[in-house]
Amino acid sequence: MTGHVNSLIHDENCFAALPRTERGRSVQIGGDPKGKNFLYCIGNHVIIRNIENLAESDVYAQHALQTTVARYAPSGFYIASADTGGKIRIWDTTQREHLLKYEYQPHGAIYDLCWSPDSKRIITAGDGREKFASAFLWDSGSSVGTITGHHKPITCVDFKPSRPYKVATGGEDMQIAFHSGPPFKFDQKINSHSKFINTIKFSPNGEKFVSGGADGRAFLYNGKTAEKEGELGNPAHSGGIYGSAWKADSAQLITCSADKSVKLWDANTLELMGTINVGSKLLDQQLGCLWQGDHILSVSLSGYINYLDFSNSALTKVIKGHQKAITAITLSADKKKIYTVDYTGLTNIFSIV
């Protein structure tokens, strides 16, 4: 729910709000390295949900402005979350209070962030007057290099999860910038896309990375050299690509698109292995995705969270709820259901037994 809350809501009967969505912008959805939880942003909050039992959730609400992205450290002990004002907060995941560890303001609005594999460094990317990204130590804020190569806001960033460390960024200038470090410095610029780049993700083994753009095209590159290895499809989607995610063994990956589909690809042959069409309406555009263990998730423009099964080419579950402030709530006569209405007129029914 999206009304006034305390700094933390941690209750087994908390019905979490859906992710905030905006047409034409990726939804950042992140996974717990232990495979138990996933997280996303709504309003000034960060939502943490159990991937198997969605009734289990936390709401972190200590940002003053609208949150944009949250990521677990690879260690699993901390979460870094950021907002439109450019503030990044690093907080504890092991205690119920989620105590604040550090707070920084590296540049303007933050659209994406990533941790280094050793959980010691953070890179933020977004907008700003003097710079669009920053690389720093998580426990001191000290710089560990510069992330350059763009002349417009950076929309996505990812860290190569194996040595030698590399960082790839994509931006509104339709460019990919590749960096080496630490300390990080610009290596090369890659021209693959003709529109905004919305997603960049390294494979778990670090051997490849994928880029996806608003032009509906997706490319694979060598993780060490950034040499282009090929294109997924021709193009991959008939609409803009807003998310990508890898299987843990790095053999397969998924892409999601405004064409309302999620597609499965072979990372070695680049062949299409499956397509799931989520719907046919505008609100069925797919803006984000996550592959965590046996679970494949995507987020629709409606905010709905979809659980996908490519072995049967079907949706196995769709999580519905509210994205906007709730204006009315009532209990059924038998006290087994809750009826809620938000200011858009959307009505939801929640079972409480």
Side-chain angles (χ1 to χ4, degrees):
M1 293 183 286
T2 58
H4 175 75
V5 296
N6 295 323
S7 62
L8 174 70
I9 296 176
H10 188 129
D11 191 276
E12 62 183 3
N13 293 321
C14 173
F15 295 89
L18 295 176
R20 174 187 175 271
T21 60
E22 179 183 345
R23 189 176 180 185
R25 187 172 292 278
S26 298
V27 171
Q28 305 293 354
I29 178 170
D32 173 4
K34 297 179 181 179
K36 179 182 178 182
N37 302 319
F38 67 101
L39 72 171
Y40 54 83
C41 296
I42 173 72
N44 296 0
H45 312 146
V46 176
I47 308 292
I48 307 171
R49 303 187 78 166
N50 185 295
I51 201 164
E52 294 190 353
N53 182 4
L54 289 156
E56 293 184 12
S57 62
D58 284 352
V59 181
Y60 180 82
Q62 293 193 12
H63 280 272
L65 299 175
Q66 180 177 289
T67 52
T68 53
V69 58
R71 304 284 189 202
Y72 275 95
S75 67
F77 295 137
Y78 296 98
I79 290 173
S81 56
D83 59 36
T84 55
K87 186 166 289 185
I88 178 171
R89 297 173 66 87
I90 302 169
W91 37 282
D92 176 79
T93 64
T94 63
Q95 303 178 56
R96 293 175 65 91
E97 295 82 6
H98 294 326
L99 298 176
L100 179 68
K101 190 70 174 177
Y102 300 104
E103 183 178 79
Y104 306 110
Q105 188 144 6
H107 51 86
I110 297 171
Y111 300 151
D112 199 4
L113 67 86
C114 61
W115 290 79
S116 62
D118 58 8
S119 300
K120 293 181 178 179
R121 305 167 186 87
I122 292 175
I123 297 179
T124 58
D127 204 350
R129 291 184 177 181
E130 297 180 358
K131 59 181 180 179
F132 302 124
S134 184
F136 54 91
L137 293 173
W138 82 285
D139 57 353
S140 68
S142 300
S143 174
V144 288
T146 56
I147 305 298
T148 58
H150 295 276
H151 61 271
K152 289 186 177 181
I154 299 173
T155 54
C156 49
V157 59
D158 202 24
F159 215 118
K160 182 174 175 286
S162 59
R163 294 183 182 274
Y165 289 153
K166 305 287 183 179
V167 170
T169 57
E172 294 182 4
D173 56 5
M174 302 173 283
Q175 305 287 327
I176 295 171
F178 199 62
H179 301 74
S180 297
F184 291 98
K185 60 181 180 180
F186 175 79
D187 271 355
Q188 60 179 295
K189 188 175 293 186
I190 307 166
N191 296 297
S192 298
H193 295 274
S194 59
K195 293 184 179 180
F196 288 5
I197 299 168
N198 297 316
T199 180
I200 280 184
K201 292 288 187 239
F202 278 93
S203 60
N205 62 13
E207 293 182 0
K208 303 175 187 289
F209 72 91
V210 62
S211 69
D215 52 8
R217 304 181 74 182
F219 299 90
L220 286 187
Y221 312 84
N222 182 285
K224 292 182 180 180
T225 66
E227 180 182 356
K228 189 183 297 182
E229 295 188 350
E231 182 174 1
L232 301 177
N234 189 26
H237 290 269
S238 60
I241 296 173
Y242 290 97
S244 60
W246 290 82
K247 189 178 180 180
D249 64 5
S250 301
Q252 299 172 349
L253 70 154
I254 56 171
T255 55
C256 66
S257 169
D259 67 6
K260 311 171 188 68
S261 74
V262 182
K263 293 187 176 183
L264 174 67
W265 306 90
D266 185 300
N268 295 311
T269 66
L270 311 187
E271 293 181 355
L272 179 65
M273 300 180 66
T275 301
I276 295 178
N277 293 303
V278 177
S280 58
K281 300 178 180 178
L282 174 65
L283 291 177
D284 294 321
Q285 291 185 359
Q286 300 300 291
L287 301 183
C289 56
L290 174 71
W291 195 330
Q292 182 155 295
D294 296 330
H295 300 285
I296 299 177
L297 279 61
S298 70
V299 177
S300 302
L301 178 58
S302 62
Y304 291 174
I305 302 170
N306 312 296
Y307 281 64
L308 311 173
D309 179 7
F310 276 94
S311 63
N312 294 307
S313 299
L315 299 178
T316 59
K317 182 164 51 179
V318 179
I319 308 305
K320 301 180 180 181
H322 292 283
Q323 289 182 300
K324 306 297 183 181
I326 294 172
T327 57
I329 184 170
T330 188
L331 192 65
S332 64
D334 60 6
K335 298 183 179 181
K336 293 182 178 181
K337 296 179 180 179
I338 296 174
Y339 296 84
T340 58
V341 181
D342 65 31
Y343 75 74
T344 67
L346 177 67
T347 302
N348 280 302
I349 304 172
F350 298 94
S351 174
I352 55 176
V353 294

